[in-house]
Each structure stands twice: as structure tokens, then as C-alpha cells.
Amino acid sequence: LGISTEPDAFSAAVVVENAVVSAVEQFKIRETWSPRESAVLPQDAILASLRIARVDPSEVDVIAFVANSDTAERIIPHIRDLGLNIRATLTPVDPRIAHCAAAFHSSPFDRAAILVLGSGHDTEPFLALGDAGRVELEQAHNPHTSLGSVYNRISRSLGFNSRTSNKVAWIGAGGEPEFLEMLREIVSCANDNTTERVLKAMDWERRENIAASLQSLANDLVIRMAEELLRRH
């Protein structure tokens, strides 16, 4: 049983003999649910995923959940209250490893370089290497770590949140990268004073052009990161 407790990805999945047999997002089965709820676990999604997979709660062998050490301490007692197999192994999974594994293990490759772009509160892009059944994070310095935070900041200023930030690309399709050099200055300097100065100087009435500039910046940096990763491996 896999559990995601991140507010924007409140969900559960069941794996049987190395195959995903069910996966359920909480907000898709509860019309009244919202990410602002105080629930610690996606209990409805957990029970639904087990029912769909035809797995009895007593048959669960491993419970994997995305969490750091602090979050794990908070979540584990709630997991124990679900009535699952008390002998099941509880396995906290680094969120970065979870993202990499989802990409790598669903790909046709036995070995691959992995690039994950940050979103929501995980804003830093990071790199990894997948080899057979293992995924290892790269510790190499990434000079483009500010991309995620800049993208999120501009997205919010344009009126979008983490669930709707994909609309930046939509409105950017109708604009021109008028502010590209200004955004490059923010990324290259990566300090709060520069960011605030540049953002105040931008014409926020020209939303399409700001979005187009942000997309152009993201395209350039993501391609550069991929090329650098490819060269190293």
C-alpha cells in the first residue's frame, strides 16, 4: 500500500506482485473534500484502493508513504489506526525518490538519467540516476535551483496556485517573451532584493507577455539541465 499525504496529491495506491493494480486520488471520490482539510491521511482513498484491488486490509505487507523523518513520526500513529495488518512494514519514502521512481520504473529503460522539476513546496529541480531496481540522487551542484521558486512566484502573481500553474503555459502561448531578460536577472542573482526590484519593474497588465517570458526561461533552463545531465552520464 502506497500513501501520499501531500495536500495536492492526497492519494493511495496498491501494488501486487510488482504491478500497480489500483490508484485513487482522494479529491476525485469525495465531492466535498479540499486540500485545506485537517485530515492527516487520505482514508477514503486508502480504503477505496484496497477495495478496488480486492486486497483485504489484513493482507497488506508493506505500507510506503511519502514523508521525511519529522512527518513520519506524525503519520505513523494514524496509519496504525486504520485497521491494517499490524505486522506490515512501515516504510517512509523520500519525496524526491518517489518522483524519480515513478518516472524511472514506468519507463522502458533499465538505466536512465532522471531530471525532476520542482512544484508546489518542492521547488528545487534535482537530478538522479536509475539503474535496474535502484534510484540514487545525484549530489552534483545544480546552478539552476532557483527556477522552481521563480516559476511559482510568477505563477502566484499571475493569479494561479500550485494546482493551476499549468495555465501559465496556456496564456503564454498568446504572448511574446518581452520580459525574458528581466527574469534571467532574477535567476542569475537569486537574491530577494533583486527579485523584488525586477518584479516591481514589470508591467503586470501584460500578463500574456510575462507568461511567455516565464515559459521561455523555463524551456531554456530545463533543456540546459537535461543536456548537462546527459553529458555526465
Side-chain angles (χ1 to χ4, degrees):
L1 173 66
I3 302 172
S4 173
T5 59
E6 297 182 11
D8 285 333
F10 226 35
S11 55
V14 176
V15 175
V16 179
E17 296 180 352
N18 293 324
V20 179
V21 294
S22 67
V24 178
E25 288 184 286
Q26 179 95 344
F27 80 94
K28 289 186 177 177
I29 59 173
R30 280 189 56 194
E31 293 181 0
T32 59
W33 182 84
S34 97
R36 291 180 290 278
E37 272 192 22
S38 59
V40 176
L41 295 175
Q43 183 167 339
D44 300 280
I46 291 170
L47 297 177
S49 64
L50 288 170
R51 185 174 63 255
I52 294 167
R54 297 181 181 178
V55 172
D56 189 273
S58 65
E59 298 176 312
V60 175
D61 298 313
V62 178
I63 303 170
F65 53 98
V66 179
N68 54 35
S69 56
D70 293 336
T71 309
E73 291 184 8
R74 180 172 61 88
I75 291 174
I76 287 174
H78 293 275
I79 292 177
R80 293 298 191 195
D81 291 339
L82 287 175
L84 303 172
N85 180 7
I86 60 173
R87 292 180 294 278
T89 303
L90 295 176
T91 305
V93 178
D94 184 317
R96 297 171 299 172
I97 293 292
H99 285 299
C100 291
F104 177 54
H105 293 308
S106 61
S107 79
F109 308 117
D110 294 325
R111 187 171 186 272
I114 306 166
L115 166 61
V116 177
L117 305 178
S119 64
H121 61 277
D122 297 320
T123 55
E124 288 192 5
F126 52 89
L127 315 170
L129 189 66
D131 194 347
R134 292 183 57 80
V135 171
E136 292 188 2
L137 298 176
E138 252 204 6
Q139 301 303 319
H141 172 64
N142 183 353
H144 312 299
T145 55
S146 61
L147 173 60
S149 58
V150 170
Y151 198 99
N152 283 345
R153 176 68 184 274
I154 301 295
S155 295
R156 290 195 303 271
S157 297
L158 290 171
F160 303 117
N161 57 36
S162 59
R163 274 198 179 278
T164 59
S165 60
N166 58 316
K167 293 183 180 180
V168 172
W170 300 356
I171 66 171
E176 298 293 332
E178 175 185 355
F179 304 101
L180 178 57
E181 293 306 317
M182 298 174 74
L183 294 182
R184 280 181 175 154
E185 183 180 356
I186 294 177
V187 170
S188 62
C189 294
N191 66 68
D192 292 339
N193 291 335
T194 300
T195 299
E196 294 304 322
R197 175 179 57 78
V198 172
L199 291 181
K200 285 181 180 178
M202 294 173 69
D203 183 356
W204 290 94
E205 296 296 320
R206 304 173 71 82
R207 297 177 78 245
E208 290 84 0
N209 286 2
I210 291 176
S213 302
L214 184 58
Q215 285 304 124
S216 182
L217 175 73
N219 290 346
D220 289 348
L221 294 187
V222 169
I223 290 171
R224 193 178 305 170
M225 281 188 276
E227 290 175 341
E228 291 167 358
L229 186 59
L230 181 62
R231 277 196 296 272
R232 286 201 297 276
H233 298 289

